[in-house]
Amino acid sequence: MNIAVIAGDGIGRDVTAEAVKVLGALGEVTGRRPVLEHLPWGADHYLATGETLPANGYDLLRSFDAVLVGALGDPRVPDNRHARDILLGTRFELDLYVNFRPVKLIADALCPLKDRGTKDVDFVVFRENTEGVYVSVGGRFKAGTEDEVAIQEEINTWKGVHRIIRHAFEYAAAHGLTKVCMADKSNAMQQGHALWQRVFKEVAAGYPGITATHQYIDALAMFLVKDPGQYQVIVTNNLFGDIITDIGGALQGGLGMAASGNLHPGKTSLFEPVHGSAPPLAGKNVANPIGAILSTALMLDYLGHDHEARIVERAVSDAVAAGATTTDIGGTLGTSAVGDTIVRAVKSAR
Ligand SMILES: NC(=O)c1ccc[n+]([C@@H]2O[C@H](COP(=O)([O-])OP(=O)(O)OC[C@H]3O[C@@H](n4cnc5c(N)ncnc54)[C@H](O)[C@@H]3O)[C@@H](O)[C@H]2O)c1
């Protein structure tokens, strides 16, 4: 495995250091050491050089099997230019159209909902990752005045909508799941989301063994809290997926627990925790590294190393069961001590 590592900014660096330790331990256990190349891209690099990423940056990323990212975002770069180029740019340039975000509660004690537990929180979200309102199409007229007009277009293409919905059904079929729920706002957004309605019905017709349902995104946000057990697979657009997977993070115990993959099946893909760079926590050895470590498990799965992925997941579950966690989820340990605990569990695995 040749892996590019972009630790990025803030707690991205803290949690990535632990994910890298876990990958190293796994290499010791299996005898197959991943080759990691650390790329310095992030706010510090941008502020020092004026470069967000080099001219051949996206081609360079394509030359790896996968990319592991921490988080990007720094108050010293208020327009977030570097994050846009490095993260959104990579999603667009490498055409990583699937944002895969599993929402799985790994211990009842972490559930924020009354009378719910691990059996109720176990679903996956497929967020469209290359279109929607994130494409920066639009503009501002009379900026800075009281007559300012700001237009931010939402782009929905048949190709983009079709491939993410089809991926959700394919995933369900491959994993023995029987329910796919599509969430949109087609009652209010009658142009773009009519396309989602049409394509969802067309694709669903090809999977008669899977029950296809639809919910408006606002209702789905409510049901995620009231009755998350009803979901197996959710598919939605870029913005809505971004928002509801933060609710998903909370259902897992906190944002620090949530992992994700940005995929173009068969091609170089990018793995990162769902959370951001949390500047106030940066460098304080308090960030929860589990989302980053579980993102490496998603990466291992994607690269066909499912045995290794299960070792990492079991090591994380054991650490959580033993209460060896950071304070955000009720433990007393620092970031690196949690990483060390998980490393020890990985090394004792067979
Ligand atoms: N994928 C990414 O790189 C990504 C995602 C989201 C936000 N951002 C950027 O991150 C910066 C901060 O954004 P934000 O504050 O809205 O979101 P954030 O995810 O950084 O933090 C939100 C809240 O969750 C907590 N939190 C997040 N991750 C945690 C962890 N691992 N352990 C413990 N607590 C954790 C933080 O303390 C904060 O209270 C911004 O610049 C934003 O643009 C980047």
Side-chain angles (χ1 to χ4, degrees), residues 140-149:
R140 284 195 295 165
F141 177 51
K142 298 187 178 177
T145 74
E146 289 187 357
D147 294 322
E148 180 163 346
V149 178

Side-chain angles (χ1 to χ4, degrees), residues 97-98 126 128 158-172 180 182 195-204 207 233 235-236:
Y97 64 91
V98 177
F126 288 104
E128 201 293 320
W158 182 90
K159 176 185 162 190
V161 175
H162 186 267
R163 64 185 182 174
I164 188 67
I165 290 177
R166 208 177 114 79
H167 187 84
F169 277 96
E170 281 294 303
Y171 179 93
V180 175
M182 189 274 280
L195 178 61
W196 280 79
Q197 286 284 329
R198 169 167 83 87
V199 174
F200 185 64
K201 288 184 186 122
E202 285 171 7
V203 175
Y207 298 84
V233 176
V235 60
T236 190

Side-chain angles (χ1 to χ4, degrees), residues 245-318:
T245 52
D246 270 30
I247 303 177
L251 293 175
Q252 291 168 271
L255 259 190
M257 299 296 290
S260 78
N262 298 256
L263 320 174
H264 187 123
K267 295 194 180 171
T268 304
S269 293
L270 182 156
F271 299 83
E272 53 169 349
V274 169
H275 63 75
S277 58
L281 307 185
K284 295 186 176 151
N285 196 31
V286 294
N288 185 346
I290 289 181
I293 292 170
L294 288 176
S295 298
T296 66
L298 294 183
M299 179 180 81
L300 291 162
D301 256 333
Y302 181 76
L303 296 176
H305 303 290
D306 17 333
H307 175 63
E308 283 90 337
R310 300 293 86 71
I311 291 177
V312 173
E313 285 174 356
R314 268 198 305 275
V316 167
S317 295
D318 289 351

